[in-house]
Every structure is written in structure tokens, then in C-alpha cells.
């Protein structure tokens, strides 16, 4: 393709931040092109195995940094294709956090109250089910029973899952073969295409430069469909507006690499990275104690032995999500199924002294993998992550044909983060080791550092130019017409799964992007209904538009 190709809006990435903006801008009349680094997979492509070349390795991007590794989506639909579909709203106190800067991180214009109408827009567009106890899996039921036994509460988690289609196969992390999980492949993306948006898979954006008419030129490489280390032709597309939504592990890298052509980037680009405070614990359950203490039995006489059955997180304990508690002591504890692979490698042997993610004792606990229960912590971390100079291409140096790369992120957790993890670890042990129900150990950080499936904050919004890369409308400071709408715009850890908040912020950013496009001569309007045609959410945000289109 020649450098003369033009579009009104170029969107980088097709996850929550990219799909939502692409839909609204296309529905409003703009010419929209979406460049997605990964392949375009649909329900028939999603395999129930973990072999190299399956949907599992094709749709994921696992980047190992120094002290932190990121597991993210790498396909059309981005993280929505490989996430566990948990869609809670962030607690009210999250928006008042000070974090490492000693004052409110979030822009004054954004609070739980001002974001609620945008949450509603997302809920109108993506079918979200408030699961009941009748929908809870064996793993979720056991976690709820253990919490109750320990004097804690637990709640079913709202999820973007069509329960009438769900088979409880527990392969949703490799993409849903039954279209039960309400990924973006079923709502925003087909709606965007119906309005003329063009989605190009296997297109990896490298950098952005300026054009002579005040617009931007986006430079990309075409990726090989089987071996992501191989690249084909390169090309460029000129656009009046660029929306970056490549994920918090890739968006800052693109901007860092673009500094030589665009000019100086805001100080916060590639800084203040948060792993959403995530950490995992493995409990090795004692089946006899599960029956004796919790009174749980199944038809076959087992108390549990059901790790392979279910649909991801269905039950969470939110007792610590209390705004009256001090910062760094608030967190959620969520039951989670994590498939073989990283889970079996990083799990430690409970009670061991020294590293135990390998060795004879590890082999013994692996024999009982069906009796594992994984608990997912989301604490308030301190935004410690910093990206170093970008690699020559992409967001990482690719080590394998698919999935695995080495990135430039450095993460050195501060005492506040370490104390929060230790506090959450202790609570998980108190709940699950009570009366001998299980033995618990946190996953090791010795192999790939800390780890996150919800990277955030590497180009965050804010009011202070010294600590935020974007203004409160998600426009990149000093570079009008470039917007960031993925998880990197979220200022800090949310203490819950972030997909709903990322989506709400992307919805909120659209009116400002539309206004910027109009100012650059694009014939586009704001006001499209939800992808399915609903309009009640549109009415709810109408009073907020004057501020966002100022």
C-alpha cells in the first residue's frame, strides 16, 4: 500500500478502547480504519487445547519484563476475546486515590458519579449478567463456603456471559467456541464494520509521524499469520485523528518510538505503570476437610476435584473494598480458574522454604491439580512500572513463533505494594487454611517477576501535566489529534477487574474525539445508539456532553 492512503480516523488496536471508539466514529459518519496486530479469529477458530499454533498461543501476547510480565490479548477483539468476562464497576474510593503522587490521581472531572452514566452505556452495549448462586461453579461455591466459614462475605461476580449458551467448559481464556462470552466480536466490532469501518488484522503499528497538513502518518508492518517474528510489507496511512488503543504494554512503546518524528512526549508516557495490583495464590484442597468442615459433597463422593469445570471467576470477596479503610489496605479476593501452563509453572509448594516452583515436591502437588483453587488478588499498587527505550520493532523482542517476547518494562515494587500483597496473602491463608481446608502459597515472582493480565496506567489521564500523559479528554498533551483510550489511560489500580472501567472511559472519550475530528474537517457527529439499537444510555450521558466537547 502506498503512503497516499488516507482515512479520517486511524484506530490502533481493537480491544475495548479501540472497538468502542471505532464504532461510534464510524456510526457518526467518519471513515475509520482499525489496525490490529493479531489475527482475526471467530468462534470456530477457538480450540480446546494449549498446543502451539492453537487459538491459545495465537491470541495471546506474553511479554516478560524486569520485575513484571504482562499477559494480554493479541487478536481482533483484543483482551475481550481472552478475558474471563468479569465486569464489575470500580468502587467509589478508587477515584479518590492519591497513590504515589500524594494527591488525587484522577482528573477532577472523573468520579464514580460522573462515570456511572458511561458505565450504563457499556451495559447497554455489552450483555452483562449479574450471576446468581444458581450460576456459580464448583470452584466459586467452595470459595463462597470457605469465606462464610471464616466469617467473610462473598458475592457472585457480574459477567459478560450468555448463561443460556455457556457449557461450563472453562476454555473461555482461549476464546469462546460457543459465543457465550460477550466479547467485542459480538457487539461493537460488527456494528463498526456495518457502518463502514475497516478492520485490518496482522498489522502492527511501529510509529507515528506528522504530515504537512497537520495530520498524522501511521507506519505499520504486516505480520506473518503463523510466526509473529516474521514481517512482510510495510506501509503508511495518513489520518486526521489517531486513536491509540494497543494496550498498556504497547501504546507507550509506540509513542516512545514516535518521539523522534513527533517531538517530545509528555513525561508520563511509559511511566506510572500499574499491574492492577494483581497476584495469585494456589490452595491445595484437602477433600476430606472440604466434606467435613464445609459440608460440600458431589455425586461421586468427592468434595471438590473440579478445577477443570467452570467459567472463570464467578465469586469474589469484597469485604476490603471499604472506602473508610486506609489506602493500600483495600483489595478484592476473587476465585479464578487459571489453565495449565503459567499456572502449573508458577505455583509454589505450600509450606516450602526457599524456591519450590520446581523439584520433587512440586511434582507431587501437580498430581493433585484438580484439587487446586486459585485466588486472584487485586490490591492498590503504587504505579511503580517504567518502560525503558523501545525495541527496534513492536512492543517486545519476539523469542518464539507466537506469544512470547522480552519487553522493556521495569517494575520494582515499593514497600506499600509489598505490604498490600502480604496483607492479602495473609487473608487468603486465614480463610482457606482454617480448620485444615487447604494449604495455600502465593505464586512465585522469581521466574517472570510479578505478573498481570490487566496492565494499566502507562499513559494515564489527569489534571497535572507532570504526572499525566493525557488530559481529562484522553488527548495526548502537546500532540492534538492523538488520543489514548485503552487501559494505559486508567490512572491507577482499580481493586477489581478493569474491563468495565476501561470501556466506560472509552465511551466517555468519544465526544471529545468527535469534536476534535470536526475541528479537523471530518464530517462526523456524536449520538449513535448502542450497537444493538438501545438509546436509553445515550439519553443518560447527554447532560455531560458540553464539558467533554468544550
Amino acid at each position: 500500500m502506498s503512503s497516499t492512503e488516507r482515512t479520517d480516523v486511524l484506530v490502533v488496536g481493537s480491544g475495548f478502547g479501540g472497538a468502542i471508539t471505532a464504532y461510534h466514529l464510524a456510526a457518526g459518519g467518519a471513515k475509520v480504519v482499525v489496525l490490529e496486530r493479531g489475527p482475526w479469529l471467530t468462534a470456530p477458530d477457538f480450540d480446546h487445547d494449549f498446543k502451539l499454533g492453537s487459538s491459545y498461543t495465537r491470541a495471546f501476547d506474553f511479554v516478560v519484563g524486569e520485575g513484571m510480565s504482562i499477559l494480554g490479548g493479541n487478536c481482533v477483539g483484543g483482551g475481550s476475546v481472552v478475558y474471563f468476562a468479569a465486569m464489575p464497576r470500580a468502587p467509589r474510593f478508587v477515584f479518590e486515590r492519591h497513590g504515589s503522587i500524594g494527591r488525587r490521581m484522577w482528573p477532577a472531572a472523573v468520579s464514580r458519579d460522573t462515570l456511572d452514566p458511561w458505565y450504563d452505556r457499556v451495559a447497554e452495549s455489552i450483555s452483562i449478567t449479574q450471576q446468581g448462586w444458581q450460576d456459580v461453579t464448583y470452584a466459586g461455591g467452595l470459595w463462597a463456603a470457605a469465606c462464610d466459614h471464616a466469617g467473610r462475605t462473598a458475592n457472585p461476580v457480574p459477567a459478560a456471559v450468555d448463561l443460556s449458551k455457556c457449557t461450563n467448559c472453562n476454555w473461555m481464556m482461549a476464546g469462546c467456541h460457543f459465543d457465550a462470552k460477550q466479547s467485542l466480536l459480538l457487539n461493537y466490532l460488527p456494528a463498526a464494520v456495518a457502518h463502514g469501518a475497516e478492520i485490518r488484522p496482522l498489522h502492527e503499528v511501529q510509529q507515528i509521524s506528522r504530515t504537512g497538513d497537520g495530520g498524522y502518518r501511521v507506519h505499520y508492518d504486516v505480520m506473518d499469520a503463523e510466526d509473529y517474528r516474521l514481517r512482510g510489507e510495510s506501509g503508511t496511512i495518513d489520518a486526521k485523528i489517531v486513536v491509540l488503543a494497543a494496550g498498556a504494554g504497547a501504546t507507550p512503546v509506540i509513542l516512545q518510538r514516535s518521539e523522534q518524528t513527533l517531538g517530545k512526549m509528555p513525561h508520563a508516557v511509559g511511566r506510572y505503570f500499574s499491574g492492577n495490583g494483581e497476584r495469585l495464590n494456589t490452595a491445595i484442597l484437602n477433600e476430606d476437610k472440604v466434606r467435613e468442615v464445609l459440608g460440600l459433597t458431589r455425586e461421586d463422593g468427592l468434595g471438590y476435584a473440579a478445577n477443570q469445570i467452570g467459567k472463570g471467576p464467578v465469586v469474589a470477596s469484597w469485604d476490603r473494598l471499604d472506602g473508610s479503610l486506609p489506602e493500600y489496605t483495600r483489595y478484592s479476593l476473587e476465585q479464578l480458574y487459571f489453565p495449565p501452563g503459567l499456572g502449573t509453572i508458577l505455583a509454589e509448594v505450600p509450606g516450602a522454604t526457599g524456591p519450590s516452583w520446581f523439584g520433587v515436591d512440586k511434582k507431587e502437588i501437580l498430581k493433585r491439580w484438580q484439587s487446586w483453587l486459585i485466588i486472584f488478588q487485586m490490591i492498590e499498587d503504587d504505579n511503580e512500572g517504567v518502560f525503558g527505550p523501545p525495541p527496534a520493532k513492536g512492543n517486545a523482542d519476539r523469542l518464539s513463533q507466537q506469544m512470547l517476547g522480552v519487553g522493556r518494562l521495569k517494575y520494582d515494587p515499593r514497600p506499600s505494594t509489598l505490604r498490600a500483597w502480604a496483607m492479602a496473602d495473609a487473608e487468603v491463608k486465614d480463610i482457606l487454611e482454617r480448620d485444615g481446608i487447604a494449604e495455600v502459597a502465593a505464586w512465585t515472582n522469581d521466574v517472570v517477576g510479578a505478573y498481570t493480565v490487566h496492565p494499566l496506567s502507562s499513559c494515564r489521564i489527569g489534571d497535572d501535566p507532570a504526572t499525566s500523559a493525557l488530559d481529562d479528554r484522553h488527548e495526548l498533551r502537546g500532540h492534538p489529534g492523538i488520543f489514548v483510550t485503552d487501559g494505559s489511560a486508567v490512572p491507577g489500580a482499580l481493586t477489581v477487574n478493569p474491563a468495565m472501567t476501561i470501556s466506560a472511559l472509552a465511551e466517555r472519550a468519544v465526544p471529545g474525539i468527535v469534536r476534535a475530528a470536526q475541528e479537523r474537517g471530518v464530517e462526523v457527529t456524536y449520538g449513535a445508539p448502542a450497537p444493538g439499537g438501545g438509546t436509553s444510555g445515550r439519553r443518560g450521558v447527554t447532560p455531560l456532553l458540553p464539558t467533554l466537547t468544550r
Side-chain angles (χ1 to χ4, degrees), residues 65-410:
E66 183 181 343
M68 172 68 74
S69 296
I70 301 172
L71 182 65
N74 180 62
C75 55
V76 173
S80 78
V81 173
V82 297
Y83 80 145
F84 279 124
M87 294 289 272
R89 302 185 183 197
R92 182 174 298 273
F93 67 79
V94 159
F95 302 96
E96 307 304 322
R97 286 196 61 206
H98 285 199
S100 60
I101 63 174
R103 58 188 178 281
R104 195 175 188 270
M105 292 191 292
W106 287 76
V110 183
S111 65
R112 175 58 190 267
D113 289 334
T114 62
L115 200 58
D116 263 333
W118 304 103
Y119 277 129
D120 294 341
R121 285 227 71 176
V122 178
E124 187 179 39
S125 302
I126 300 175
S127 180
I128 298 171
T129 302
Q130 176 53 66
Q131 299 177 100
W133 290 112
Q134 72 277 6
D135 306 311
V136 166
T137 60
Y138 290 112
L142 189 144
W143 174 236
C147 286
D148 181 66
H149 176 68
R152 271 78 164 189
T153 67
N155 299 274
V157 176
V161 176
D162 182 343
L163 298 179
S164 69
K165 294 181 179 180
C166 181
T167 66
N168 277 335
C169 69
N170 222 344
W171 286 94
M172 66 192 303
M173 196 173 176
C176 183
H177 190 72
F178 309 101
D179 277 343
K181 181 168 62 175
Q182 302 300 288
S183 75
L184 298 167
L185 298 173
L186 303 179
N187 35 71
Y188 284 102
L189 287 174
V193 171
H195 284 283
E198 183 181 355
I199 301 174
R200 300 182 187 176
L202 299 170
H203 282 61
E204 182 180 70
V205 170
Q206 305 302 329
Q207 66 184 70
I208 306 166
S209 58
R210 297 187 185 277
T211 59
D213 60 1
Y216 295 99
R217 179 162 294 165
V218 177
H219 303 251
Y220 65 84
D221 292 340
V222 178
M223 309 299 291
D224 185 86
E226 300 296 332
D227 190 338
Y228 299 158
R229 296 169 297 185
L230 304 179
R231 302 169 186 277
E233 66 177 4
S234 298
T236 58
I237 302 176
D238 290 355
K240 297 177 180 178
I241 295 289
V242 174
V243 177
L244 286 169
T251 288
V253 179
I254 293 171
L255 290 176
Q256 286 177 323
R257 193 183 291 118
S258 301
E259 191 164 33
Q260 60 182 331
T261 51
L262 287 179
K264 187 173 178 59
M265 287 291 130
H267 173 77
V269 167
R271 290 182 171 85
Y272 304 108
F273 175 91
S274 167
N276 199 35
E278 294 171 2
R279 183 171 168 88
L280 290 150
N281 278 240
T282 300
I284 313 296
L285 295 165
N286 181 320
E287 303 292 353
D288 293 335
K289 290 294 184 180
V290 168
R291 286 191 298 270
E292 176 188 332
V293 176
L294 300 181
L296 300 180
T297 59
R298 292 171 53 194
E299 296 83 353
D300 52 14
L302 291 172
Y304 179 64
N307 202 1
Q308 77 277 28
I309 303 172
K311 50 178 176 285
V314 292
V315 173
S317 177
W318 292 323
D319 289 347
R320 298 294 304 187
L321 299 186
D322 180 348
S324 67
L325 297 173
E327 195 168 350
Y328 303 108
T329 70
R330 302 171 295 202
Y331 51 82
S332 61
L333 303 174
E334 187 173 83
Q335 155 271 327
L336 174 67
Y337 168 77
F338 209 98
L342 284 176
T344 49
I345 293 170
L346 301 179
E348 296 250 45
V349 177
T353 57
S356 62
W357 59 272
F358 61 93
V360 175
D361 291 340
K362 177 64 175 286
K363 289 182 179 179
E364 288 301 310
I365 69 167
L366 285 173
K367 293 177 182 177
R368 299 181 55 207
W369 70 272
Q370 288 178 302
S371 295
W372 290 14
L373 180 70
I374 307 298
I375 304 301
F376 186 40
Q377 308 171 5
M378 288 168 275
I379 59 111
E380 295 169 302
D381 73 359
D382 216 359
N383 293 83
E384 295 99 324
V386 178
F387 284 83
K393 292 279 189 177
N395 66 315
D397 294 318
R398 294 288 147 200
L399 295 183
S400 63
Q401 180 177 331
Q402 294 169 10
M403 193 173 177
L404 182 61
V406 175
R408 302 293 193 271
L409 174 62
K410 182 176 181 180

Side-chain angles (χ1 to χ4, degrees), residues 405-450:
V406 175
R408 302 293 193 271
L409 174 62
K410 182 176 181 180
Y411 188 86
D412 186 11
R414 296 183 183 133
S416 53
T417 297
L418 294 173
R419 284 193 297 268
W421 275 333
M423 185 177 182
D425 286 346
E427 182 155 7
V428 174
K429 287 176 73 68
D430 183 57
I431 293 170
L432 287 170
E433 292 189 343
R434 187 173 293 232
D435 295 323
I437 297 169
E439 292 181 287
V440 179
W443 283 19
T444 181
N445 285 12
D446 293 339
V447 183
V448 294

Side-chain angles (χ1 to χ4, degrees), residues 47-58:
D47 304 301
H48 285 185
D49 64 53
F50 299 109
K51 297 177 182 177
L52 179 65
S54 70
S55 60
Y56 182 67
T57 59
R58 294 174 68 196

